[in-house]
Amino acid sequence: MHSRPAVELVGLSKSFRVRRTRSGGVAARLHDFFRPDTHALVAVDHLSFSIAPGERVAFIGPNGAGKSTTLKILAGILHPDAGEVHVLGLVPSRQRRELAFRIGTVFGQRSQLWYQLPPRDTFELLGRVYEREQADHRRRIDALTSLFELGAFIDTPVRQLSLGERMRCEIAASLLHSPHLLFLDEPSIGLDVSAKAVIRELLRAESDRAGFTLLLTSHDTGDIERICERVIVIHRGRLLWDGRIADLRRSYLTSKRVTVWSDVERLEIALPGVRVLSTGSYRTELEIALDVASLGQVVDAALRQGPVRDLAVEDAPLDAVIRAMYADAEQRSASS
């Protein structure tokens, strides 16, 4: 028997009435005040996807794609105009309070911690908000304090914590009531490299241990690659891509970067679709347009000039792949 999806959207649509500004003098502005000229702005357009329990999914798109609107509908904050939405078996717009006890949220730019109080005090308060039995809640605080290594600063006012320490407390706070689904919005924004690595590893480890579903929105491709296995991309409110991150790379990858170490000091590679980035000191760096040339052709050309000692092949970074996807979608929208 198949388990029910943690998140399921079928034909979800949502639009807003937006006022169209009129040019003109005072009379035009008065007319606009009493009889505003509005038009419908489509934020989400027949969007459908599902997420299985325990999955870690990145939900991304360019600014204005409809991500925030979709997440607000999933949380029950907004009502959809059309379509069906189920989150953990509930209808968010009708069962918002019940749903709130089963989901957690982390917003990188908005805190749920009381700024003047130590994290422990906020944790205690959240136990009352979520109506948890006191002894169980204290045990949960102790467990998360150990897991996230909060002991050194859990009794320090939040205003005195570093951003990395605060974000660890934010995530712990979102997990206090043992949610089945965690929404993450830019969880590593503003963090340094080491703090980002800690946050990503904690999220992966706790998701594996507790088995909760994770839905991430982020513009940081490091978050996407290191936390999630699957990515859902939307554009202009419509589904653009839904699949594994590795498959996304393969589908939109247009070039590879190749470094060749050879016994020839300067390789001369003159092939269509191959750009020499640098050459010299027995090392040549190339970029190959995959729709024009193949890696095999480049290797053959290098071997004709002398022995090859080593070879390194790199894919384009994920952010370049995603930018190419957005550009392709914009081009198709403009031509339709």
Side-chain angles (χ1 to χ4, degrees), residues 206-232:
E206 182 61 8
S207 173
D208 286 337
R209 189 197 68 79
F212 57 77
T213 306
L214 190 152
L215 186 60
L216 165 76
T217 60
S218 179
H219 289 98
D220 188 324
T221 54
D223 289 349
I224 296 167
E225 291 187 278
R226 290 169 179 80
I227 297 174
C228 303
E229 297 96 10
R230 175 182 164 199
V231 60
I232 295 172

Side-chain angles (χ1 to χ4, degrees), residues 56 97 104 117 127 165 228 263 274 314 331:
R56 291 191 294 267
R97 187 177 188 278
L117 300 179
E165 291 169 342
C228 303
D263 287 346
V274 177
E314 298 177 70
Q331 189 174 25

Side-chain angles (χ1 to χ4, degrees), residues 258-271 274-286 295 297-312:
V258 179
T259 305
V260 182
W261 289 266
S262 71
D263 287 346
V264 179
E265 184 175 2
R266 299 177 68 88
L267 286 175
E268 299 294 334
I269 307 291
L271 292 172
V274 177
R275 185 163 66 98
V276 178
L277 302 177
S278 66
T279 184
S281 301
Y282 307 97
R283 180 181 182 276
T284 302
E285 194 172 359
L286 311 160
L295 178 59
Q297 289 174 305
V298 173
V299 173
D300 288 343
L303 286 170
R304 283 196 292 270
Q305 299 178 52
V308 171
R309 290 186 284 115
D310 202 357
L311 184 75

Side-chain angles (χ1 to χ4, degrees), residues 3-7 51-55 180 211-213:
S3 60
R4 188 167 190 169
V7 176
I51 299 173
E55 272 196 290
H180 299 284
F212 57 77
T213 306

Side-chain angles (χ1 to χ4, degrees), residues 15-325:
S15 61
F16 300 93
R17 299 302 303 182
V18 178
R19 178 174 293 188
R20 185 181 285 112
T21 304
R22 295 176 181 171
S23 59
V26 175
R29 289 198 293 272
L30 281 172
H31 187 273
D32 189 48
F33 179 79
F34 290 105
R35 297 188 63 181
D37 181 17
T38 63
H39 68 282
L41 176 66
V42 177
V44 183
D45 190 5
H46 296 89
L47 183 62
S48 299
F49 63 79
S50 65
I51 299 173
E55 272 196 290
R56 291 191 294 267
V57 179
F59 183 56
I60 65 173
N63 291 333
K67 302 186 301 295
S68 296
T69 300
T70 303
L71 290 178
K72 287 175 182 177
I73 291 172
L74 292 178
I77 298 170
L78 292 177
H79 289 232
D81 294 338
E84 297 181 9
V85 184
H86 291 91
V87 178
L88 303 174
L90 304 174
V91 178
S93 59
R94 296 204 299 264
Q95 298 169 288
R96 183 181 175 187
R97 187 177 188 278
E98 187 177 350
L99 180 64
F101 281 81
R102 301 175 64 184
I103 64 174
T105 56
V106 177
F107 295 100
Q109 295 179 311
R110 279 175 256 167
S111 178
Q112 60 186 318
L113 303 172
W114 286 71
Y115 188 66
Q116 302 294 342
L117 300 179
R120 188 189 298 276
D121 290 359
T122 299
F123 293 172
E124 294 283 358
L125 176 61
L126 289 173
R128 296 176 179 272
V129 171
Y130 288 109
E131 301 174 4
R132 291 178 58 84
E133 198 277 324
Q134 191 173 37
D136 287 343
H137 189 61
R138 292 261 170 87
R139 283 193 290 271
R140 181 65 172 163
I141 291 174
D142 291 343
L144 289 171
T145 298
S146 174
L147 180 68
F148 286 76
E149 299 181 353
L150 309 180
F153 49 84
I154 192 172
D155 293 306
T156 302
V158 170
R159 70 177 185 276
Q160 297 177 17
L161 301 183
S162 69
L163 186 55
E165 291 169 342
R166 183 176 69 77
M167 283 309 302
R168 279 153 66 186
C169 292
E170 293 280 359
I171 295 170
S174 72
L175 297 174
L176 282 169
H177 57 298
S178 301
H180 299 284
L181 172 63
L182 184 63
F183 291 126
L184 296 166
D185 182 29
E186 303 285 0
S188 68
I189 190 167
L191 299 183
D192 61 38
V193 173
S194 59
K196 284 184 179 186
V198 170
I199 293 297
R200 291 162 181 166
E201 180 55 35
L202 286 171
L203 286 167
R204 283 188 64 93
E206 182 61 8
S207 173
D208 286 337
R209 189 197 68 79
F212 57 77
T213 306
L214 190 152
L215 186 60
L216 165 76
T217 60
S218 179
H219 289 98
D220 188 324
T221 54
D223 289 349
I224 296 167
E225 291 187 278
R226 290 169 179 80
I227 297 174
C228 303
E229 297 96 10
R230 175 182 164 199
V231 60
I232 295 172
V233 186
I234 64 172
H235 182 265
R236 296 181 183 267
R238 296 183 179 181
L239 184 67
L240 183 59
W241 173 270
D242 182 359
R244 292 174 55 82
I245 293 173
D247 295 334
L248 173 63
R249 282 186 181 279
R250 283 193 289 269
S251 295
Y252 282 87
L253 199 62
T254 59
S255 66
K256 282 183 182 289
R257 183 165 291 192
V258 179
T259 305
V260 182
W261 289 266
S262 71
D263 287 346
V264 179
E265 184 175 2
R266 299 177 68 88
L267 286 175
E268 299 294 334
I269 307 291
L271 292 172
V274 177
R275 185 163 66 98
V276 178
L277 302 177
S278 66
T279 184
S281 301
Y282 307 97
R283 180 181 182 276
T284 302
E285 194 172 359
L286 311 160
E287 186 175 75
I288 306 173
L290 298 176
D291 56 342
V292 180
S294 68
L295 178 59
Q297 289 174 305
V298 173
V299 173
D300 288 343
L303 286 170
R304 283 196 292 270
Q305 299 178 52
V308 171
R309 290 186 284 115
D310 202 357
L311 184 75
V313 181
E314 298 177 70
D315 287 335
L318 183 59
D319 57 351
V321 175
I322 292 173
R323 284 198 303 272
M325 173 187 279

